[in-house]
Amino acid sequence: MGKILEKINEQMNFELESGYIYLSMAAYLKDRGFDGMSGFMHKQAHEEYEHAMKMYGFLTSVGKLPVFESINKPAANYKSELDVFQQALQHEKTVTSRIDDLVDLAREENDKRAEIFLQWYVTEQVEEEDVFTDLVLKLERADGKFSALYLLDGIIAGK
Ligand code: OFO
């Protein structure tokens, strides 16, 4: 019996943890008065929940019981709005490398259903990294100036 289903279960928990981190970031941004950025992070948190539920659905459909683990406490404070988005980008890079490892393992174990299932996540991660990279760049250019940050808050609200 291969390890891939165990590892997808682990990733399901990590997706939930990602959502928890983004919720904490949303709370920080709301506290700082950036409702647009906060709403964006709420949306990301919801997406992470959906990513986890897709895995939940896959596991149940192949006869593997999904097991939920404890979720680590996320950071409550950040240095700045830029810091939040830089950390989120870093986090997405971690997710990408974890998904890549899962694909490698599915191939190693010649589990085609898992490999095909994981393709969706490979594509999704390209989009996620692209979105966060763009926002980090914009925030770097804002250089902590409130007028620019408020302008960006409106732009990010629409994403
Ligand atoms: Fe599910 O990690 Fe972001 O996307």
Side-chain angles (χ1 to χ4, degrees), residues 11 14-16 18-19 22 44 47-52 55 88 91-92 95-96 99 120-121 124-125 127-129 132:
Q11 185 60 27
F14 197 74
E15 298 287 341
L16 290 171
S18 305
Y22 292 155
Q44 293 303 308
E47 278 188 19
E48 299 307 339
Y49 175 76
E50 285 174 353
H51 298 171
M55 289 178 176
H91 186 79
E92 287 301 329
V95 174
T96 301
I99 297 291
W120 184 87
Y121 291 87
E124 174 71 5
Q125 283 312 118
E127 192 194 312
E128 296 281 277
E129 280 197 36
F132 278 110

PDB file of all heavy atoms in Angstrom, residues 11 14-16 18-19 22 44 47-52 55 88 91-92 95-96 99 120-121 124-125 127-129 132, ligand 1:
ATOM      1  N   GLN A  11      -1.748  16.960   3.418  1.00  0.00           N
ATOM      2  CA  GLN A  11      -1.896  18.217   2.674  1.00  0.00           C
ATOM      3  C   GLN A  11      -3.279  18.820   2.905  1.00  0.00           C
ATOM      4  O   GLN A  11      -3.409  20.043   2.980  1.00  0.00           O
ATOM      5  CB  GLN A  11      -1.628  17.994   1.180  1.00  0.00           C
ATOM      6  CG  GLN A  11      -1.636  19.273   0.353  1.00  0.00           C
ATOM      7  CD  GLN A  11      -0.578  20.283   0.786  1.00  0.00           C
ATOM      8  OE1 GLN A  11       0.462  19.905   1.334  1.00  0.00           O
ATOM      9  NE2 GLN A  11      -0.844  21.560   0.566  1.00  0.00           N
ATOM     10  N   PHE A  14      -2.910  20.739   5.821  1.00  0.00           N
ATOM     11  CA  PHE A  14      -2.082  21.925   5.570  1.00  0.00           C
ATOM     12  C   PHE A  14      -2.888  23.016   4.856  1.00  0.00           C
ATOM     13  O   PHE A  14      -2.689  24.209   5.100  1.00  0.00           O
ATOM     14  CB  PHE A  14      -0.841  21.546   4.748  1.00  0.00           C
ATOM     15  CG  PHE A  14       0.239  22.583   4.785  1.00  0.00           C
ATOM     16  CD1 PHE A  14       1.030  22.761   5.907  1.00  0.00           C
ATOM     17  CD2 PHE A  14       0.459  23.421   3.689  1.00  0.00           C
ATOM     18  CE1 PHE A  14       2.028  23.733   5.944  1.00  0.00           C
ATOM     19  CE2 PHE A  14       1.455  24.394   3.715  1.00  0.00           C
ATOM     20  CZ  PHE A  14       2.243  24.551   4.839  1.00  0.00           C
ATOM     21  N   GLU A  15      -3.805  22.600   3.986  1.00  0.00           N
ATOM     22  CA  GLU A  15      -4.673  23.569   3.299  1.00  0.00           C
ATOM     23  C   GLU A  15      -5.563  24.279   4.330  1.00  0.00           C
ATOM     24  O   GLU A  15      -5.783  25.486   4.243  1.00  0.00           O
ATOM     25  CB  GLU A  15      -5.547  22.884   2.242  1.00  0.00           C
ATOM     26  CG  GLU A  15      -4.793  22.206   1.112  1.00  0.00           C
ATOM     27  CD  GLU A  15      -4.154  23.162   0.101  1.00  0.00           C
ATOM     28  OE1 GLU A  15      -4.564  24.328   0.043  1.00  0.00           O
ATOM     29  OE2 GLU A  15      -3.238  22.736  -0.611  1.00  0.00           O
ATOM     30  N   LEU A  16      -6.049  23.526   5.312  1.00  0.00           N
ATOM     31  CA  LEU A  16      -6.871  24.138   6.363  1.00  0.00           C
ATOM     32  C   LEU A  16      -6.023  25.111   7.183  1.00  0.00           C
ATOM     33  O   LEU A  16      -6.471  26.193   7.552  1.00  0.00           O
ATOM     34  CB  LEU A  16      -7.481  23.058   7.258  1.00  0.00           C
ATOM     35  CG  LEU A  16      -8.565  22.204   6.578  1.00  0.00           C
ATOM     36  CD1 LEU A  16      -8.949  21.027   7.461  1.00  0.00           C
ATOM     37  CD2 LEU A  16      -9.801  23.040   6.247  1.00  0.00           C
ATOM     38  N   SER A  18      -3.475  26.716   6.055  1.00  0.00           N
ATOM     39  CA  SER A  18      -3.269  27.888   5.186  1.00  0.00           C
ATOM     40  C   SER A  18      -4.442  28.850   5.343  1.00  0.00           C
ATOM     41  O   SER A  18      -4.259  30.067   5.462  1.00  0.00           O
ATOM     42  CB  SER A  18      -3.188  27.470   3.713  1.00  0.00           C
ATOM     43  OG  SER A  18      -2.189  26.503   3.518  1.00  0.00           O
ATOM     44  N   GLY A  19      -5.643  28.300   5.357  1.00  0.00           N
ATOM     45  CA  GLY A  19      -6.839  29.129   5.522  1.00  0.00           C
ATOM     46  C   GLY A  19      -6.819  29.863   6.858  1.00  0.00           C
ATOM     47  O   GLY A  19      -7.195  31.039   6.942  1.00  0.00           O
ATOM     48  N   TYR A  22      -4.440  32.753   6.636  1.00  0.00           N
ATOM     49  CA  TYR A  22      -4.997  33.875   5.869  1.00  0.00           C
ATOM     50  C   TYR A  22      -6.100  34.599   6.644  1.00  0.00           C
ATOM     51  O   TYR A  22      -6.259  35.809   6.505  1.00  0.00           O
ATOM     52  CB  TYR A  22      -5.497  33.396   4.497  1.00  0.00           C
ATOM     53  CG  TYR A  22      -4.357  32.971   3.586  1.00  0.00           C
ATOM     54  CD1 TYR A  22      -4.536  32.068   2.547  1.00  0.00           C
ATOM     55  CD2 TYR A  22      -3.074  33.484   3.775  1.00  0.00           C
ATOM     56  CE1 TYR A  22      -3.480  31.681   1.723  1.00  0.00           C
ATOM     57  CE2 TYR A  22      -2.015  33.102   2.954  1.00  0.00           C
ATOM     58  CZ  TYR A  22      -2.220  32.200   1.939  1.00  0.00           C
ATOM     59  OH  TYR A  22      -1.174  31.831   1.132  1.00  0.00           O
ATOM     60  N   GLN A  44      -9.172  34.398   0.154  1.00  0.00           N
ATOM     61  CA  GLN A  44      -8.109  33.387   0.059  1.00  0.00           C
ATOM     62  C   GLN A  44      -8.343  32.270   1.075  1.00  0.00           C
ATOM     63  O   GLN A  44      -8.162  31.094   0.771  1.00  0.00           O
ATOM     64  CB  GLN A  44      -6.725  34.018   0.336  1.00  0.00           C
ATOM     65  CG  GLN A  44      -6.263  35.009  -0.711  1.00  0.00           C
ATOM     66  CD  GLN A  44      -6.220  34.402  -2.108  1.00  0.00           C
ATOM     67  OE1 GLN A  44      -5.629  33.357  -2.321  1.00  0.00           O
ATOM     68  NE2 GLN A  44      -6.870  35.042  -3.054  1.00  0.00           N
ATOM     69  N   GLU A  47     -10.881  30.008  -0.168  1.00  0.00           N
ATOM     70  CA  GLU A  47     -10.341  29.143  -1.237  1.00  0.00           C
ATOM     71  C   GLU A  47      -9.551  27.980  -0.650  1.00  0.00           C
ATOM     72  O   GLU A  47      -9.616  26.860  -1.150  1.00  0.00           O
ATOM     73  CB  GLU A  47      -9.424  29.947  -2.170  1.00  0.00           C
ATOM     74  CG  GLU A  47     -10.204  30.725  -3.207  1.00  0.00           C
ATOM     75  CD  GLU A  47      -9.297  31.375  -4.246  1.00  0.00           C
ATOM     76  OE1 GLU A  47      -8.138  30.964  -4.396  1.00  0.00           O
ATOM     77  OE2 GLU A  47      -9.778  32.315  -4.902  1.00  0.00           O
ATOM     78  N   GLU A  48      -8.793  28.264   0.405  1.00  0.00           N
ATOM     79  CA  GLU A  48      -8.007  27.187   1.032  1.00  0.00           C
ATOM     80  C   GLU A  48      -8.932  26.108   1.607  1.00  0.00           C
ATOM     81  O   GLU A  48      -8.639  24.920   1.519  1.00  0.00           O
ATOM     82  CB  GLU A  48      -7.081  27.738   2.127  1.00  0.00           C
ATOM     83  CG  GLU A  48      -6.041  28.737   1.653  1.00  0.00           C
ATOM     84  CD  GLU A  48      -5.190  28.244   0.492  1.00  0.00           C
ATOM     85  OE1 GLU A  48      -5.088  27.032   0.267  1.00  0.00           O
ATOM     86  OE2 GLU A  48      -4.615  29.090  -0.193  1.00  0.00           O
ATOM     87  N   TYR A  49     -10.042  26.569   2.163  1.00  0.00           N
ATOM     88  CA  TYR A  49     -11.027  25.612   2.665  1.00  0.00           C
ATOM     89  C   TYR A  49     -11.526  24.729   1.515  1.00  0.00           C
ATOM     90  O   TYR A  49     -11.638  23.502   1.647  1.00  0.00           O
ATOM     91  CB  TYR A  49     -12.187  26.372   3.331  1.00  0.00           C
ATOM     92  CG  TYR A  49     -13.314  25.478   3.784  1.00  0.00           C
ATOM     93  CD1 TYR A  49     -13.182  24.702   4.937  1.00  0.00           C
ATOM     94  CD2 TYR A  49     -14.500  25.392   3.050  1.00  0.00           C
ATOM     95  CE1 TYR A  49     -14.219  23.857   5.338  1.00  0.00           C
ATOM     96  CE2 TYR A  49     -15.526  24.559   3.451  1.00  0.00           C
ATOM     97  CZ  TYR A  49     -15.379  23.793   4.594  1.00  0.00           C
ATOM     98  OH  TYR A  49     -16.397  22.954   4.980  1.00  0.00           O
ATOM     99  N   GLU A  50     -11.765  25.365   0.374  1.00  0.00           N
ATOM    100  CA  GLU A  50     -12.223  24.591  -0.798  1.00  0.00           C
ATOM    101  C   GLU A  50     -11.147  23.615  -1.281  1.00  0.00           C
ATOM    102  O   GLU A  50     -11.455  22.496  -1.676  1.00  0.00           O
ATOM    103  CB  GLU A  50     -12.613  25.538  -1.938  1.00  0.00           C
ATOM    104  CG  GLU A  50     -13.947  26.211  -1.676  1.00  0.00           C
ATOM    105  CD  GLU A  50     -14.296  27.259  -2.712  1.00  0.00           C
ATOM    106  OE1 GLU A  50     -13.453  27.574  -3.570  1.00  0.00           O
ATOM    107  OE2 GLU A  50     -15.422  27.771  -2.629  1.00  0.00           O
ATOM    108  N   HIS A  51      -9.881  24.063  -1.228  1.00  0.00           N
ATOM    109  CA  HIS A  51      -8.783  23.158  -1.626  1.00  0.00           C
ATOM    110  C   HIS A  51      -8.771  21.920  -0.712  1.00  0.00           C
ATOM    111  O   HIS A  51      -8.563  20.801  -1.174  1.00  0.00           O
ATOM    112  CB  HIS A  51      -7.414  23.852  -1.524  1.00  0.00           C
ATOM    113  CG  HIS A  51      -7.270  25.032  -2.434  1.00  0.00           C
ATOM    114  ND1 HIS A  51      -6.202  25.908  -2.373  1.00  0.00           N
ATOM    115  CD2 HIS A  51      -8.057  25.482  -3.446  1.00  0.00           C
ATOM    116  CE1 HIS A  51      -6.351  26.839  -3.302  1.00  0.00           C
ATOM    117  NE2 HIS A  51      -7.467  26.605  -3.960  1.00  0.00           N
ATOM    118  N   ALA A  52      -8.970  22.178   0.571  1.00  0.00           N
ATOM    119  CA  ALA A  52      -8.990  21.063   1.533  1.00  0.00           C
ATOM    120  C   ALA A  52     -10.176  20.141   1.249  1.00  0.00           C
ATOM    121  O   ALA A  52     -10.047  18.909   1.288  1.00  0.00           O
ATOM    122  CB  ALA A  52      -9.057  21.602   2.963  1.00  0.00           C
ATOM    123  N   MET A  55      -9.725  17.700  -1.509  1.00  0.00           N
ATOM    124  CA  MET A  55      -8.923  16.554  -1.075  1.00  0.00           C
ATOM    125  C   MET A  55      -9.770  15.605  -0.226  1.00  0.00           C
ATOM    126  O   MET A  55      -9.670  14.385  -0.353  1.00  0.00           O
ATOM    127  CB  MET A  55      -7.675  17.032  -0.309  1.00  0.00           C
ATOM    128  CG  MET A  55      -6.675  17.673  -1.250  1.00  0.00           C
ATOM    129  SD  MET A  55      -5.225  18.302  -0.430  1.00  0.00           S
ATOM    130  CE  MET A  55      -4.266  18.845  -1.858  1.00  0.00           C
ATOM    131  N   ALA A  88       2.639  35.685   2.789  1.00  0.00           N
ATOM    132  CA  ALA A  88       1.650  34.877   2.055  1.00  0.00           C
ATOM    133  C   ALA A  88       2.287  34.285   0.798  1.00  0.00           C
ATOM    134  O   ALA A  88       2.077  33.109   0.477  1.00  0.00           O
ATOM    135  CB  ALA A  88       0.436  35.737   1.695  1.00  0.00           C
ATOM    136  N   HIS A  91       4.450  31.509   1.757  1.00  0.00           N
ATOM    137  CA  HIS A  91       3.616  30.365   2.123  1.00  0.00           C
ATOM    138  C   HIS A  91       3.146  29.626   0.864  1.00  0.00           C
ATOM    139  O   HIS A  91       3.178  28.387   0.808  1.00  0.00           O
ATOM    140  CB  HIS A  91       2.417  30.827   2.952  1.00  0.00           C
ATOM    141  CG  HIS A  91       1.604  29.685   3.472  1.00  0.00           C
ATOM    142  ND1 HIS A  91       1.987  28.945   4.574  1.00  0.00           N
ATOM    143  CD2 HIS A  91       0.466  29.113   3.009  1.00  0.00           C
ATOM    144  CE1 HIS A  91       1.103  27.976   4.760  1.00  0.00           C
ATOM    145  NE2 HIS A  91       0.165  28.052   3.834  1.00  0.00           N
ATOM    146  N   GLU A  92       2.736  30.376  -0.136  1.00  0.00           N
ATOM    147  CA  GLU A  92       2.281  29.735  -1.386  1.00  0.00           C
ATOM    148  C   GLU A  92       3.418  28.969  -2.053  1.00  0.00           C
ATOM    149  O   GLU A  92       3.189  27.917  -2.656  1.00  0.00           O
ATOM    150  CB  GLU A  92       1.688  30.771  -2.344  1.00  0.00           C
ATOM    151  CG  GLU A  92       0.320  31.282  -1.932  1.00  0.00           C
ATOM    152  CD  GLU A  92      -0.738  30.182  -1.821  1.00  0.00           C
ATOM    153  OE1 GLU A  92      -0.668  29.186  -2.549  1.00  0.00           O
ATOM    154  OE2 GLU A  92      -1.628  30.323  -0.967  1.00  0.00           O
ATOM    155  N   VAL A  95       3.570  25.756  -0.396  1.00  0.00           N
ATOM    156  CA  VAL A  95       2.482  24.884  -0.872  1.00  0.00           C
ATOM    157  C   VAL A  95       2.858  24.278  -2.227  1.00  0.00           C
ATOM    158  O   VAL A  95       2.703  23.076  -2.452  1.00  0.00           O
ATOM    159  CB  VAL A  95       1.145  25.658  -0.980  1.00  0.00           C
ATOM    160  CG1 VAL A  95       0.064  24.790  -1.621  1.00  0.00           C
ATOM    161  CG2 VAL A  95       0.685  26.134   0.393  1.00  0.00           C
ATOM    162  N   THR A  96       3.378  25.115  -3.120  1.00  0.00           N
ATOM    163  CA  THR A  96       3.768  24.627  -4.454  1.00  0.00           C
ATOM    164  C   THR A  96       4.766  23.489  -4.335  1.00  0.00           C
ATOM    165  O   THR A  96       4.620  22.454  -4.999  1.00  0.00           O
ATOM    166  CB  THR A  96       4.381  25.778  -5.288  1.00  0.00           C
ATOM    167  OG1 THR A  96       3.411  26.820  -5.400  1.00  0.00           O
ATOM    168  CG2 THR A  96       4.789  25.308  -6.677  1.00  0.00           C
ATOM    169  N   ILE A  99       3.053  20.367  -3.172  1.00  0.00           N
ATOM    170  CA  ILE A  99       2.246  19.745  -4.239  1.00  0.00           C
ATOM    171  C   ILE A  99       3.170  19.015  -5.221  1.00  0.00           C
ATOM    172  O   ILE A  99       2.886  17.883  -5.636  1.00  0.00           O
ATOM    173  CB  ILE A  99       1.383  20.813  -4.979  1.00  0.00           C
ATOM    174  CG1 ILE A  99       0.375  21.479  -4.035  1.00  0.00           C
ATOM    175  CG2 ILE A  99       0.683  20.203  -6.203  1.00  0.00           C
ATOM    176  CD1 ILE A  99      -0.760  20.615  -3.537  1.00  0.00           C
ATOM    177  N   TRP A 120      -4.801  19.503 -10.895  1.00  0.00           N
ATOM    178  CA  TRP A 120      -5.572  20.730 -10.642  1.00  0.00           C
ATOM    179  C   TRP A 120      -4.789  21.668  -9.714  1.00  0.00           C
ATOM    180  O   TRP A 120      -4.764  22.882  -9.902  1.00  0.00           O
ATOM    181  CB  TRP A 120      -6.928  20.373 -10.008  1.00  0.00           C
ATOM    182  CG  TRP A 120      -7.789  21.585  -9.817  1.00  0.00           C
ATOM    183  CD1 TRP A 120      -8.643  22.144 -10.720  1.00  0.00           C
ATOM    184  CD2 TRP A 120      -7.835  22.421  -8.643  1.00  0.00           C
ATOM    185  NE1 TRP A 120      -9.225  23.267 -10.186  1.00  0.00           N
ATOM    186  CE2 TRP A 120      -8.744  23.457  -8.915  1.00  0.00           C
ATOM    187  CE3 TRP A 120      -7.195  22.385  -7.401  1.00  0.00           C
ATOM    188  CZ2 TRP A 120      -9.040  24.459  -7.998  1.00  0.00           C
ATOM    189  CZ3 TRP A 120      -7.482  23.384  -6.479  1.00  0.00           C
ATOM    190  CH2 TRP A 120      -8.404  24.410  -6.773  1.00  0.00           C
ATOM    191  N   TYR A 121      -4.147  21.090  -8.714  1.00  0.00           N
ATOM    192  CA  TYR A 121      -3.393  21.888  -7.733  1.00  0.00           C
ATOM    193  C   TYR A 121      -2.124  22.480  -8.349  1.00  0.00           C
ATOM    194  O   TYR A 121      -1.712  23.580  -7.974  1.00  0.00           O
ATOM    195  CB  TYR A 121      -3.049  21.035  -6.501  1.00  0.00           C
ATOM    196  CG  TYR A 121      -4.280  20.684  -5.694  1.00  0.00           C
ATOM    197  CD1 TYR A 121      -5.037  19.565  -6.008  1.00  0.00           C
ATOM    198  CD2 TYR A 121      -4.700  21.496  -4.649  1.00  0.00           C
ATOM    199  CE1 TYR A 121      -6.181  19.248  -5.294  1.00  0.00           C
ATOM    200  CE2 TYR A 121      -5.836  21.194  -3.921  1.00  0.00           C
ATOM    201  CZ  TYR A 121      -6.580  20.068  -4.248  1.00  0.00           C
ATOM    202  OH  TYR A 121      -7.718  19.768  -3.544  1.00  0.00           O
ATOM    203  N   GLU A 124      -3.376  25.468 -10.168  1.00  0.00           N
ATOM    204  CA  GLU A 124      -3.848  26.451  -9.188  1.00  0.00           C
ATOM    205  C   GLU A 124      -2.669  27.199  -8.555  1.00  0.00           C
ATOM    206  O   GLU A 124      -2.721  28.408  -8.353  1.00  0.00           O
ATOM    207  CB  GLU A 124      -4.675  25.734  -8.102  1.00  0.00           C
ATOM    208  CG  GLU A 124      -5.112  26.599  -6.930  1.00  0.00           C
ATOM    209  CD  GLU A 124      -6.188  27.609  -7.293  1.00  0.00           C
ATOM    210  OE1 GLU A 124      -6.683  27.579  -8.438  1.00  0.00           O
ATOM    211  OE2 GLU A 124      -6.505  28.453  -6.424  1.00  0.00           O
ATOM    212  N   GLN A 125      -1.597  26.482  -8.268  1.00  0.00           N
ATOM    213  CA  GLN A 125      -0.448  27.122  -7.618  1.00  0.00           C
ATOM    214  C   GLN A 125       0.237  28.132  -8.535  1.00  0.00           C
ATOM    215  O   GLN A 125       0.774  29.138  -8.047  1.00  0.00           O
ATOM    216  CB  GLN A 125       0.557  26.072  -7.117  1.00  0.00           C
ATOM    217  CG  GLN A 125       0.124  25.376  -5.836  1.00  0.00           C
ATOM    218  CD  GLN A 125      -0.336  26.339  -4.758  1.00  0.00           C
ATOM    219  OE1 GLN A 125      -1.494  26.302  -4.332  1.00  0.00           O
ATOM    220  NE2 GLN A 125       0.531  27.235  -4.309  1.00  0.00           N
ATOM    221  N   GLU A 127      -1.299  30.089 -10.569  1.00  0.00           N
ATOM    222  CA  GLU A 127      -2.137  31.281 -10.442  1.00  0.00           C
ATOM    223  C   GLU A 127      -1.924  31.971  -9.084  1.00  0.00           C
ATOM    224  O   GLU A 127      -1.780  33.188  -9.009  1.00  0.00           O
ATOM    225  CB  GLU A 127      -3.596  30.852 -10.615  1.00  0.00           C
ATOM    226  CG  GLU A 127      -4.543  32.007 -10.789  1.00  0.00           C
ATOM    227  CD  GLU A 127      -5.986  31.568 -10.603  1.00  0.00           C
ATOM    228  OE1 GLU A 127      -6.371  30.541 -11.194  1.00  0.00           O
ATOM    229  OE2 GLU A 127      -6.704  32.234  -9.832  1.00  0.00           O
ATOM    230  N   GLU A 128      -1.898  31.172  -8.027  1.00  0.00           N
ATOM    231  CA  GLU A 128      -1.745  31.743  -6.689  1.00  0.00           C
ATOM    232  C   GLU A 128      -0.428  32.509  -6.545  1.00  0.00           C
ATOM    233  O   GLU A 128      -0.400  33.614  -6.026  1.00  0.00           O
ATOM    234  CB  GLU A 128      -1.773  30.628  -5.624  1.00  0.00           C
ATOM    235  CG  GLU A 128      -3.073  29.884  -5.546  1.00  0.00           C
ATOM    236  CD  GLU A 128      -4.137  30.641  -4.794  1.00  0.00           C
ATOM    237  OE1 GLU A 128      -4.150  30.578  -3.576  1.00  0.00           O
ATOM    238  OE2 GLU A 128      -4.945  31.317  -5.447  1.00  0.00           O
ATOM    239  N   GLU A 129       0.644  31.896  -7.014  1.00  0.00           N
ATOM    240  CA  GLU A 129       1.948  32.571  -6.902  1.00  0.00           C
ATOM    241  C   GLU A 129       1.971  33.837  -7.738  1.00  0.00           C
ATOM    242  O   GLU A 129       2.547  34.847  -7.336  1.00  0.00           O
ATOM    243  CB  GLU A 129       3.079  31.631  -7.332  1.00  0.00           C
ATOM    244  CG  GLU A 129       3.459  30.655  -6.239  1.00  0.00           C
ATOM    245  CD  GLU A 129       4.825  30.017  -6.479  1.00  0.00           C
ATOM    246  OE1 GLU A 129       5.740  30.693  -6.984  1.00  0.00           O
ATOM    247  OE2 GLU A 129       4.968  28.822  -6.155  1.00  0.00           O
ATOM    248  N   PHE A 132      -0.004  36.657  -5.853  1.00  0.00           N
ATOM    249  CA  PHE A 132       0.721  37.200  -4.695  1.00  0.00           C
ATOM    250  C   PHE A 132       2.002  37.929  -5.108  1.00  0.00           C
ATOM    251  O   PHE A 132       2.368  38.939  -4.500  1.00  0.00           O
ATOM    252  CB  PHE A 132       1.022  36.095  -3.677  1.00  0.00           C
ATOM    253  CG  PHE A 132      -0.157  35.806  -2.784  1.00  0.00           C
ATOM    254  CD1 PHE A 132      -0.867  34.621  -2.891  1.00  0.00           C
ATOM    255  CD2 PHE A 132      -0.560  36.726  -1.827  1.00  0.00           C
ATOM    256  CE1 PHE A 132      -1.958  34.354  -2.076  1.00  0.00           C
ATOM    257  CE2 PHE A 132      -1.657  36.475  -1.002  1.00  0.00           C
ATOM    258  CZ  PHE A 132      -2.359  35.283  -1.125  1.00  0.00           C
TER     259      PHE A 132
HETATM  260 FE1  OFO B   1      -4.201  25.897  -1.361  1.00  0.00          FE
HETATM  261  O1  OFO B   1      -2.648  26.891  -1.243  1.00  0.00           O
HETATM  262 FE2  OFO B   1      -3.039  28.645  -1.659  1.00  0.00          FE
HETATM  263  O2  OFO B   1      -3.636  28.026  -3.106  1.00  0.00           O
END
